[in-house]
Every structure is written in C-alpha cells, then in structure tokens.
C-alpha cells in the first residue's frame, strides 16, 4: 500500500482527493489535514507521498514543504495549485518538490500520478508543464548548465535523459537493463553533481542545457 497524506486548507478538496485515492486498491490515505497540522501528521503517520496545497491561509505551503523535506525519511511531495501560472511553483521545485498538479487534475489519472511519485518519478500537470519548463529555459544562459552536465558520466547522462521523461527508477532500470538500486545510486550522484534538490530541477537543467528534447509546443511558435 502507498501511504498518502493530503494537505489543503479546504475540507472539500481534502475529502475529494481522499475519496478518489482510496478507491484504488493500492493506496491508503493516512491523513487529510489543513496546513497547520501537516508536519505533526507526517511525523505520526509517515506517509510516502504528500499532496500539498501551495497556498494556504494558516501556513505557507513552501514552509510546510521545507519542514517535510527535513524529516527522515522525507516523503515525496507534490504541490497542489489552482493557478497554471502560480509564481510559487518555481520556488517549490527548487526546494525539492517532486512536481505539481492543478487541483482540477483528471480524477481517473490521480492514482497513477501518486504511483509515479511513490516509484521515484516526477509529475507535472500537462496544462502547465510548458510554462514551467520555458520559465527555466529563459532563466539565465545555457553555457553554465552545459558545463554542469559535463560533470556527469555518459551513463549518468543517459539516466538523466530518462529522468527528464518522468520515468521512475524501476522504469529506467527496465529501459537500461539496470537494477533499481543501481539507478537510485546514479540519480543520487546526478543530483549531487548538478547541485540540485530533486529530479525535477535536474531534468529542467538538462532541458535548458539541450540534453533533452525541446518541450512540446516550443518548436511550433
């Protein structure tokens, strides 16, 4: 069972996400709480995946994210937002969030996204992926990022390219004929060498440096 916690200031949102996720046989919602209770609930129930509202009146979602990241073991956190242009998204990704979802995400796809997070993958809402990626592409020059990629071995670059596709460690292992543990070691090495906090940041750095395919829609402009 994948242990999930939902954190949102609106009870209706918490209840809706809980009912959708608990309809899946392999997912258990261990807590559904407002922001002020999030850290205490995480310490008590030890969720593997947290869906965290990025904007809450009682406590800042980014503050909760930082506190959750300090737990050991730290849960995988994906941010929830109502806005496809939320200015906090970039900060959340740089702070170690594994991705973000709009609150109107297709309910049928939500369990799959949680499974992806639990397996070490990344999730970016299809409605806003292009906006976020292009924001990173426009932030700074390409040359420093190319230089940072030069720190990686050829095998690590290949792993990073698959991370950029949103694949989990298990899926990368299958694609490259490696054990999941070996892939996990490669990913840890990649994050350390690139000096980034998580997989999303590593993938976006690689995109900006030209390692990955251009984001869909960019070539059409």
């Amino acid at each position: 069972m994948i242990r999930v916690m939902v954190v949102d200031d609106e009870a209706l949102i918490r209840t809706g996400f809980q009912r959708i996720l608990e309809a899946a046989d392999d997912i258990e919602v261990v807590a559904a709480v407002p922001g002020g209770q999030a850290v205490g609930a995480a310490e008590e129930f030890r969720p593997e995946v947290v869906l965290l509202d990025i904007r809450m009146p009682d406590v800042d979602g980014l503050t909760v994210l930082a506190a959750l990241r300090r737990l050991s073991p730290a849960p995988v956190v994906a941010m929830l937002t109502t806005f496809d242009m939320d200015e906090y998204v970039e900060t959340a990704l740089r702070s170690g969030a594994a991705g973000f979802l709009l609150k109107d995400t297709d309910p049928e796809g939500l369990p799959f996204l949680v499974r992806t997070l639990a397996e070490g993958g990344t999730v970016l809402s299809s409605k806003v992926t292009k906006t976020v990626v292009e924001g990173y592409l426009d932030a700074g020059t390409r040359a420093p990022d190319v230089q940072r990629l030069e720190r990686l071995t050829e095998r690590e670059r290949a792993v990073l390219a698959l991370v950029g596709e949103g694949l989990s460690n298990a899926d990368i292992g299958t694609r490259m004929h490696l054990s999941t543990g070996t892939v996990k070691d490669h990913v840890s090495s990649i994050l350390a060498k690139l000096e980034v906090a998580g997989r999303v940041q590593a993938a976006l750095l690689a995109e900006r440096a030209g390692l990955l395919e251009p984001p869909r829609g960019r070539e059409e402009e």
Side-chain angles (χ1 to χ4, degrees), residues 68-145:
L68 293 176
R69 292 283 297 169
R70 289 193 293 267
L71 297 179
S72 182
V76 177
V77 182
M79 310 304 293
L80 300 174
T81 179
T82 307
F83 311 101
D84 61 358
M85 293 289 288
D86 197 315
E87 65 267 27
Y88 293 153
V89 166
E90 180 177 344
T91 302
L93 295 178
R94 294 187 184 280
S95 300
F100 65 92
L101 302 171
L102 291 180
K103 291 184 182 180
D104 63 355
T105 295
D106 181 5
E108 293 185 1
L110 189 58
F112 170 77
L113 296 175
V114 166
R115 295 183 190 106
T116 299
L117 290 165
E119 294 171 358
T122 59
V123 295
L124 293 173
S125 172
S126 60
K127 293 184 180 180
V128 289
T129 297
K130 180 172 178 285
T131 299
V132 173
V133 170
E134 290 185 349
Y136 271 79
L137 291 174
D138 294 337
T141 62
R142 175 185 173 116
D145 297 316

Side-chain angles (χ1 to χ4, degrees), residues 11-191:
L12 185 62
I13 296 293
R14 297 197 302 269
T15 300
F17 272 71
Q18 183 171 5
R19 289 179 176 173
I20 292 168
L21 292 173
E22 288 190 337
D25 294 335
D26 58 340
I27 296 175
E28 176 187 7
V29 178
V30 296
V33 297
Q37 301 175 25
V39 178
E43 292 175 334
E44 179 179 357
F45 296 106
R46 296 295 175 180
E48 299 167 73
V49 175
V50 175
L51 303 181
L52 171 63
D53 188 5
I54 202 169
R55 291 172 176 262
M56 296 178 287
D58 56 343
V59 62
D60 178 30
L62 297 177
T63 300
V64 175
L65 171 62
L68 293 176
R69 292 283 297 169
R70 289 193 293 267
L71 297 179
S72 182
V76 177
V77 182
M79 310 304 293
L80 300 174
T81 179
T82 307
F83 311 101
D84 61 358
M85 293 289 288
D86 197 315
E87 65 267 27
Y88 293 153
V89 166
E90 180 177 344
T91 302
L93 295 178
R94 294 187 184 280
S95 300
F100 65 92
L101 302 171
L102 291 180
K103 291 184 182 180
D104 63 355
T105 295
D106 181 5
E108 293 185 1
L110 189 58
F112 170 77
L113 296 175
V114 166
R115 295 183 190 106
T116 299
L117 290 165
E119 294 171 358
T122 59
V123 295
L124 293 173
S125 172
S126 60
K127 293 184 180 180
V128 289
T129 297
K130 180 172 178 285
T131 299
V132 173
V133 170
E134 290 185 349
Y136 271 79
L137 291 174
D138 294 337
T141 62
R142 175 185 173 116
D145 297 316
V146 172
Q147 293 174 355
R148 290 167 75 180
L149 285 184
E150 290 175 354
R151 304 171 187 173
L152 306 182
T153 66
E154 287 300 316
R155 174 63 60 84
E156 288 170 344
R157 289 167 68 93
V159 170
L160 176 57
L162 296 179
V163 168
E165 293 182 20
L167 272 63
S168 67
N169 290 344
D171 291 336
I172 293 172
T174 299
R175 186 82 64 89
M176 297 185 65
H177 307 290
L178 300 171
S179 70
T180 301
T182 298
V183 174
K184 184 176 180 180
D185 289 341
H186 281 313
V187 171
S188 296
S189 177
I190 290 167
L191 299 184

